[in-house]
Amino acid sequence: MFEIFISKLGSPSVQRNMLRAIRHFTKFAKGAGLIDDNPAASVTRAKMKKTGGFFTWTEDHFAKYEAQHPVGTKARPALALYLNLGVRKSDVVRVGPRYVRNGMLHNFLPKKGERTAGNRITVKLFEDTKAIIAATPVTGTETYLVTSFGKPFTANGFGNKMREWCDEAGLPECTSHGLRKLCLIRLAHAGYGAPQIAAVSGHKDLREIQLYIEQANREKMGSKPRPRSNRLRSRTKTC
């Protein structure tokens, strides 16, 4: 019964979410003695395609944004904060003087961590980041990023503004979350291990961090000079 119902749902993600809900209910029902067996335990669903998530910025994208939004513009501190702290959109809008002590983002609990008992992070602000913030004409007393009315951004409101800034820089494929990914890949390129990167990003699952390390390793291998093609051929002796 559940197998047929799940298979008729529109997309793999809808099937996944519905099956999760059904399994939670049937597990409870079995534990309460309302049913003898869990009929949803063996139900299968369509597999989701791996998309790689949000588009990851490259150093070229970074350079284009930097050229379009020089130091002193409202768009520049956003770039600096993302690449310095590796935070999510829901957190970059909260970062400000109230969380900074002695040049460090101190004991900061990411928004996602409030729901999942996540890790607090303590990250040093780069000198460049501090200089960019200081050169920005308008910042907030609680948050560095503020709207045209001097108020802190909401996460969605900032996402819209970041979309505008990226479009102005000719980067329609880029999003704010892709900057977080670039930050973590930079750390992997610098030789940071998974626990060290997680100390910056706040990740609890180190398997997610490993994806960034693997991408950095692929980029390193791809940039190494290759032997000339004639050297790859085996030499044969002539009589």
Side-chain angles (χ1 to χ4, degrees), residues 166-220:
C166 287
D167 289 345
E168 290 172 355
L171 302 171
E173 69 276 35
C174 293
T175 65
S176 56
H177 194 79
L179 272 175
R180 169 175 163 86
K181 297 175 75 172
L182 176 58
C183 172
L184 303 187
I185 290 171
R186 280 183 170 185
L187 293 175
H189 271 291
Y192 283 59
Q196 294 170 300
I197 296 175
V200 174
S201 68
H203 278 92
K204 294 180 67 177
D205 189 346
L206 297 186
R207 292 174 297 180
E208 296 180 38
I209 299 295
Q210 192 61 36
L211 297 176
Y212 299 109
I213 294 175
E214 291 172 0
Q215 180 172 339
N217 289 340
R218 288 194 298 271
E219 292 174 357
K220 288 178 183 178

Side-chain angles (χ1 to χ4, degrees), residues 3 11 25 30 39 41 47 53 55 57 69 71 77 89 92 98 103 126 129 138 143 149 184 194 216 219:
E3 190 90 38
S11 67
F25 175 74
K30 183 181 178 183
K47 291 184 177 180
F55 178 83
W57 290 48
H69 303 292
V71 175
K89 177 176 66 177
V92 75
R98 57 182 172 171
F126 300 149
T129 302
V138 180
T143 63
F149 299 102
L184 303 187
E219 292 174 357

Side-chain angles (χ1 to χ4, degrees), residues 2-3 6-7 15 19 23 40-46:
F2 286 131
E3 190 90 38
I6 292 295
S7 66
Q15 291 184 21
L19 187 55
R23 282 176 174 166
S42 60
V43 174
T44 59
R45 59 174 175 82

Side-chain angles (χ1 to χ4, degrees), residues 156-172:
N156 288 337
F158 176 73
N160 294 334
K161 178 56 70 173
M162 195 69 188
R163 172 76 275 138
E164 180 183 317
W165 290 334
C166 287
D167 289 345
E168 290 172 355
L171 302 171

Side-chain angles (χ1 to χ4, degrees), residues 39 47 51 62 124 133-134 151 154 166 222 229:
K47 291 184 177 180
T51 63
F62 163 75
K124 183 178 180 180
I133 292 170
K151 302 292 184 181
T154 63
C166 287
S229 59

